[in-house]
Amino acid sequence: MMGEIVGAGLLSHVPTIMLSKEIRYELNEGKEISLIPGFDRIRKEVLDVLKPDVVIVLDTHWGTLVEYVVTSHARRAGKYTSEELPRGMHQVPYDLKGDPDLANAMAEEVNKEGVRCSAIDDPYLPIHYPTINLAHYLEQGEAWISVSCAMTAGADENLAVGRGIANAIAKSGKKVVILASGSMSHTFYPFNELHLHESSDPKHIFSDGAREADYERLAWFKQGDHASVINNMDDYYQYKPEGRFAHYLMMVGALGSDKCKAIGRQFSDYENSVGTSQVHVWFDRPEEGWS
């Protein structure tokens, strides 16, 4: 039986989602950030319907240097405290089943695409909050695998990694969801100005240019025009998309690259977090296939 990518999403992991409701409301002018109900909808309206065997997280905070890395543990469990924001993300419990067979196959297929990749099951391998935060809201017993973003890689390598992942999934016989965990434009205000820009209102996005570039790409997502996103990456890089948009590029590489026609549905508003963009966009598999 052929394996299949049954859905994919570009999802926010912003630390604000791990704060208490009271603090979230205080930061956001007395309102909930739309990302929280967005997660609930994704779980109920999408994942509970698709019932994936495996969730693959493309993790923008896991920066590797000379190769991509895939987690191949049978299980990852413990408590997570963020070195970046330990006040808001501290001792978060996690217990994630893995899929060593698929993880090893992913590394093998990525290497066949000419890109270095290793599957690692070291029990001391760190875990990062782009995986933890999504699992906190979405995990329901599926196997979860994380994939690193190679800091030295360009768009071509990221697309190739996606192709390798797709090839491994096709051979696996499993239903898989891919989550590109990260934001779009991603520039922070200076330290002394951060407190002035904590509201989710998009007027606080770091620059007008960054906001308009994000809106342009959100429009392309809604049209299923992934070719325009890919072909205009050089222009987008000036607005510093998180992880050089590796999470999106790996995801869309698995979905057919510039031939992908999947239409994006927003499951949240487009929101600010101290200058950076945050949004949930889900891509359903078209009836005729991803590309």
Side-chain angles (χ1 to χ4, degrees):
M1 183 177 65
M2 288 284 287
E4 176 181 27
I5 300 170
V6 295
L10 173 65
L11 305 186
S12 170
H13 59 243
V14 65
T16 318
I17 63 177
M18 302 301 283
L19 299 174
S20 68
K21 183 177 180 179
E22 292 73 22
I23 295 177
R24 295 197 306 266
Y25 275 54
E26 179 182 342
L27 294 176
N28 193 35
E29 301 173 344
K31 304 184 297 293
E32 178 62 284
I33 60 175
S34 69
L35 301 168
I36 302 293
F39 276 125
D40 292 339
R41 288 185 56 211
I42 290 168
R43 182 68 249 181
K44 294 173 183 176
E45 298 176 23
V46 179
L47 297 183
D48 286 350
V49 175
L50 295 176
K51 300 185 186 307
D53 302 305
V54 184
V55 173
I56 295 173
V57 180
L58 310 174
D59 190 316
T60 49
H61 281 218
W62 186 11
T64 50
L65 183 61
V66 300
E67 62 182 351
Y68 292 80
V69 179
V70 179
T71 58
S72 57
H73 311 75
R75 184 172 294 276
R76 291 178 289 170
K79 292 184 177 180
Y80 172 80
T81 294
S82 167
E83 77 282 10
E84 178 187 331
L85 292 159
R87 183 165 51 89
M89 289 179 287
H90 58 276
Q91 297 191 37
V92 180
Y94 65 93
D95 188 356
L96 303 176
K97 181 173 68 174
D99 188 328
D101 289 340
L102 179 56
N104 283 292
M106 288 164 57
E108 181 179 350
E109 293 294 333
V110 170
N111 277 287
K112 287 180 182 178
E113 293 293 325
V115 179
R116 290 186 298 275
C117 183
S118 296
I120 301 293
D121 64 358
D122 189 319
Y124 296 100
L125 184 69
I127 194 168
H128 302 273
Y129 72 75
T131 295
I132 291 288
N133 292 4
L134 297 196
H136 178 79
Y137 282 96
L138 300 178
E139 185 269 334
Q140 290 288 344
E142 315 89 353
W144 280 58
I145 295 171
S146 298
V147 180
S148 76
C149 293
M151 297 180 290
T152 50
D156 289 344
E157 288 86 3
N158 287 314
L159 292 169
V161 170
R163 290 195 300 271
I165 290 172
N167 291 339
I169 291 169
K171 296 176 182 179
S172 73
K174 295 172 181 175
K175 295 166 59 178
V176 178
V177 159
I178 297 179
L179 304 181
S181 182
S183 73
M184 300 182 70
S185 66
H186 198 74
T187 303
F188 296 101
Y189 284 96
F191 186 89
N192 290 334
E193 298 178 28
L194 289 173
H195 68 286
L196 301 174
H197 302 283
E198 293 179 317
S199 164
S200 295
D201 193 316
K203 71 183 182 183
H204 293 284
I205 295 293
F206 187 77
S207 71
D208 293 341
R211 183 172 53 252
E212 293 308 312
D214 290 338
Y215 282 148
E216 183 175 44
R217 280 143 190 82
L218 288 170
W220 286 333
F221 292 156
K222 290 177 183 177
Q223 298 163 11
D225 184 7
H226 296 273
S228 289
V229 182
I230 294 168
N231 293 335
N232 287 279
M233 277 308 304
D234 285 344
D235 179 66
Y236 196 39
Y237 284 140
Q238 68 181 300
Y239 301 111
K240 301 181 181 178
E242 186 167 19
R244 290 179 57 79
F245 227 29
H247 52 310
Y248 166 79
L249 291 166
M250 286 189 281
M251 179 193 74
V252 79
L255 305 182
S257 297
D258 58 351
K259 296 180 177 61
C260 178
K261 303 299 182 185
I263 292 172
R265 293 190 289 149
Q266 276 188 229
F267 275 76
S268 76
D269 298 332
Y270 170 79
E271 298 184 333
N272 162 74
S273 177
V274 291
T276 69
S277 64
Q278 308 297 330
V279 69
H280 296 326
V281 183
W282 191 263
F283 302 96
D284 297 301
R285 183 182 183 277
E287 288 187 9
E288 64 275 17
W290 289 107
S291 58

